[in-house]
Amino acid sequence: MGHHASDPNKIVNITIDGIPVSCPETTLILDAAKMAGIDIPVLCYHPDLKVRATCRVCIVEVKGQKKFKTACGNEVWDGAEFITNSPAVRQARKDILELILAEHPQDCLKCVRNTNCELQKLARDFGISKPQFANKPNPIPIEDSNGVIVRDMAKCVKCGRCVEVCQEVQTVGAINTAHRSVEYEITTAFDRSLQDTVCVYCGQCIAVCPVGALYEKDETEKVWQAIADADKHVVVQVAPAVRVALGEEFGMAPGSIATGKMVAALRRLGFDKVFDTDFAADVTIMEEGNELLERMSHGGVLPLITSCSPGWINFVETFYPELLPHVSSCKSPQQMFGALAKTYYAQKAGIDAGKMTVVSIMPCTAKKYESARPEINGSGYRDVDVVITTRELARMIKQAGIDFNKLDDQEFDAPLGISTGAAVIFGTSGGVMEAALRTVYEVVTGKELVDVDFESVRGLTGIKEAEVDLDGKKVKVAIANGLKNARQILDKIKAGECDYQFVEIMCCPGGCIGGGGQPHGTTKAVREERMAGIYQADRELPIRQSHKNPAVTALYEEFLGKPLSRKSHELLHTHYHPRHK
Amino acid sequence: MSKINKLISANCGVIRPDSVEDYVKAGGYEGLKKAFTMKPEEIIGEVKKAKLLGRGGAAYPAGSKWEQLLEIPEFPKYIVINADEGEPGTFKDKILLSQDPLRVIEGMTIAGYVFNSHDGYIYIRGEYRAIQKVFRSAIDNAVKAGYLGQNILGTGFAFHIHIMTGAGAYVCGENSALLNSIEGKAGRPRIKPPHLAEVGLFLMPTLVNNVESIANIPTIVLEGGEKYLSYGTKDSGGTKLVCLSGNVVNRGVYEIPFGVSLRDIIYDPELGGGIPNGKKLKFFHLGGQSGPIGSQAQLDTLYCYKALRNAGLSVGSGAVVVMDEDVCVIDYLKGVTEFFIHESCGKCTPCREGNKQIYAILCKLSEGQATQDDMAVLRRLIDTMTNASFCGLGQSATVALNTCWKLFKAEFEDHLNQKCPAQVCFTEQGRGE
């Protein structure tokens, strides 16, 4: 009681371990400590999420107070003296870790997060060696029946990050906390399997999990087997957002463009052809751009909403089925690629599509679900056979003993590896919209676009809006970055309060650069760096508009005819349907 | 000086609990009538003069709490009464709620008037099901008689009382968990700040008071703060409902003026009446499961906030659980710890996992399996839970253990050597599990 709201403009003077710090009154003890060069250990804390202060690992002593305070859960106040490193604090932190470990399976060697686990790191830093408590892990069976997200809740440290991401960042609400005390757990409603919930498989829960309680269903073995099978022609496609994140797994800074090394590594792994999802992204622009123009000129349902992000598709099918007519009938680039690989490419290269395996490397977990949709296939086969995440690819490269950093840059194979800057920006929020505008402008106006950079649709803002003048015809567009923001736009559309013509929705915050299949440690800062990498890659490409991609032009000339042709519809378009709730 | 002073429990068992007629005949609603002639600041002034300390257990000065809420400019403000009485050994609110609900309602209405609040919520614990019916009936009758609802007593002031309940969770007695529960969320404590006075129920400024605290308000308004203060000691104004249970002849709820000794409470024929069967007192547990334990040597401590605090004890909820010489301290603490294992919300690590490990060590002690290392770990767990838990529940779950550690260190040592002075452990009948 007696608390007053802290003032961001008031600078206070404090000490942390005797080091004086001046900072705004609204600074968390944790951040003030950083200013003094002190890294207070955290477990439940995540820089992008709300403070929960539940694990209590970050406790500090306050001079004059008996009880500890959490550094993540408390702001500083004038004159406060914090001690972060007393024997009492160290002992209490160690005891808290021991309490967590008592419940934990402690099978680090067999854990997907081995060497990349926040709990493991803390246990090592605190020198935890001999057991203080009897180790009695909860015998909770691993749930992996949905084929996308694996839940190994025996390893859960109950930090609640996944719950917050699911409930508040994505507003999906598939998981929550339940029960109390020793039975307190993170679970689904009525303990259902994930596939019987509203889960959209975005994998954001995996992205924020500090330990090995949540991870993607590993399908690398399927890929190894396909590669090893001499009868199989195995082609691989790589989504744009993978190239600016994969390097992190090999010690590179976030956002480092590793395209050339990645292609080289894929070739070394033994893929017969190394192609690029970007090629299909350019095709997507041709189809979706024309779908937009078609709807605009023929009184179709507007706004048109993009359909590239499979987590978003699951979301609209689950929560807004009445808005499905707004969703573009275009398949995602991944699925367009699969359909074209097993028809156009197979035909061109004289390969039996039945003996082809199409592997996708995706920054996304929902892509695994998408590729398994029965209605998505157009080639007469399953269009995409296996989807692995950025993390899984990194594991394969490590298993193969490839020294990633020493690889020489190589180029994608032709023709499905030829792409443009418009395609690469698909990897970040606003990218699909910008790529579409680059093409639609020229198609509608017949004029050359002088400046292809649509800055207003870039960045990590929740909802971005822009108005584009297409020769006197104004087109209003909007971009929703993450599902919570999508909800806002969708509610407006439902209420008839939207005058947008085109809306891009990306399931994951930041778009694919922040996808659920990306290397662990994704934060807002990391997203920004990956995003910068994407725009750099765009700038460095000679062609930056999809309709100028010569391979795409050839595809239409040789195979599809024109966008929205009958053949396009057969191979590149699909339909969506309401999903159970 | 009588050791009983029925200031707020005089009607209990005397009038029909839901009868406004009976209540008014017994002097009820005079406090509210007087309140309507006073300014909010004046009423709060009386509460401050009364030195009323929160009767739920935290003993925060009620007047200051009210004053802080009054200063907050946002509206609406909510009045929330914590009737989630859940401390084993505590059943005082039950008496007020079931036998004189209109006093609680009157107190809430005065608070509503003070804060210009139009909605009050009383969160009655799930297990008090029958009481909820009585309380509902009392509310309905008060509305019919014009003492509640729209235009109370023709003043134009409107106040509505809503009864809320949970599925039965001790932690919902923690104020922020209680508000979450009212809002339909899981009953787990919120991170503070922001404090509930500022961001409380439905994110609006909120007063949370205990049943007994609010039941004192009509008396304080009517008789004045100074008069009320004079019933107790100079620091602990007024009276206190104490609940006597355990190995004591006269179990029950008694309203006593502050300043009576613990010996009087347990042994006075008008109160506890001593230990049955000629047994000796071993210890008493004050203020609920989360309260401290005292021994024979502390019997002459006066029952008031200051003297108890000085003796390392506390008023807490007002529970006085008496245990005789046949009780084993370790065995008793196992019961206390089992309670906290059941009731921890599970949100924070120390409380969720700590109680469980404490229980395991106590079991080892009662089975003669414990080592000196276990004692060191137990000591550390007490400190970690006390100093690092998220909310008051976890922070106080080890209070009984900690006080026993100091008072009965020898009994812990005995158990290390497989001896149980009370002959509860290591015997055929022993509870050693």
Side-chain angles (χ1 to χ4, degrees), chain A residues 404-454:
Chain A
F404 190 78
N405 290 293
K406 287 199 181 141
L407 290 170
D408 288 327
D409 288 357
Q410 292 187 6
E411 298 275 328
F412 284 109
D413 288 309
L416 305 201
I418 297 170
S419 70
T420 71
V424 79
I425 59 174
F426 265 58
T428 186
S429 167
V432 175
M433 176 64 69
E434 183 170 344
L437 293 177
R438 287 180 188 178
T439 285
V440 168
Y441 180 89
E442 294 203 352
V443 171
V444 172
T445 65
K447 295 177 192 164
E448 195 175 338
L449 189 59
V450 185
D451 180 10
V452 296
D453 295 330
F454 289 80

Side-chain angles (χ1 to χ4, degrees), chain A residues 240-387:
Chain A
V242 174
R243 66 204 67 191
V244 293
L246 179 66
E248 292 164 37
E249 294 274 5
F250 303 95
M252 294 182 189
S256 305
I257 303 169
T259 319
K261 292 188 192 310
M262 177 182 74
V263 171
L266 289 165
R267 215 159 263 141
R268 288 267 287 266
L269 287 175
F271 288 104
D272 294 304
K273 291 287 174 190
V274 180
F275 289 142
D276 196 350
T277 310
D278 288 14
F279 168 81
D282 280 330
V283 178
T284 303
I285 290 303
M286 298 304 289
E287 294 294 324
E288 203 163 284
N290 280 288
E291 186 184 5
L292 173 68
L293 295 175
E294 164 85 17
R295 288 198 190 200
M296 281 171 60
S297 54
H298 290 95
V301 179
L302 289 172
L304 174 69
I305 314 179
T306 57
S307 53
C308 300
S309 164
W312 143 245
I313 293 298
N314 293 339
F315 183 80
V316 68
E317 287 181 333
T318 306
F319 296 99
Y320 293 88
E322 65 276 31
L323 296 185
L324 281 171
H326 288 270
V327 179
S328 165
S329 64
C330 290
K331 290 180 185 174
S332 69
Q334 158 172 281
Q335 294 302 137
M336 286 199 186
F337 179 93
L340 292 173
K342 288 200 177 173
T343 54
Y344 173 63
Y345 166 71
Q347 190 182 307
K348 218 172 150 69
I351 294 160
D352 176 3
K355 289 188 174 172
M356 252 177 98
T357 300
V358 174
V359 174
S360 301
I361 318 291
M362 293 285 143
C364 177
T365 47
K367 287 283 175 196
K368 287 180 186 269
Y369 178 86
E370 180 187 69
S371 72
R373 280 174 172 264
E375 72 279 16
I376 202 92
N377 300 309
S379 66
Y381 304 91
R382 178 166 158 163
D383 290 348
V384 174
D385 297 281
V386 192
V387 178

Side-chain angles (χ1 to χ4, degrees), chain A residues 139-158:
Chain A
I140 306 170
I142 292 174
E143 187 208 313
D144 66 351
S145 50
N146 59 69
V148 182
I149 293 175
V150 185
R151 296 169 70 233
D152 182 0
M153 298 320 278
K155 289 188 181 136
C156 174
V157 294
K158 303 173 185 184

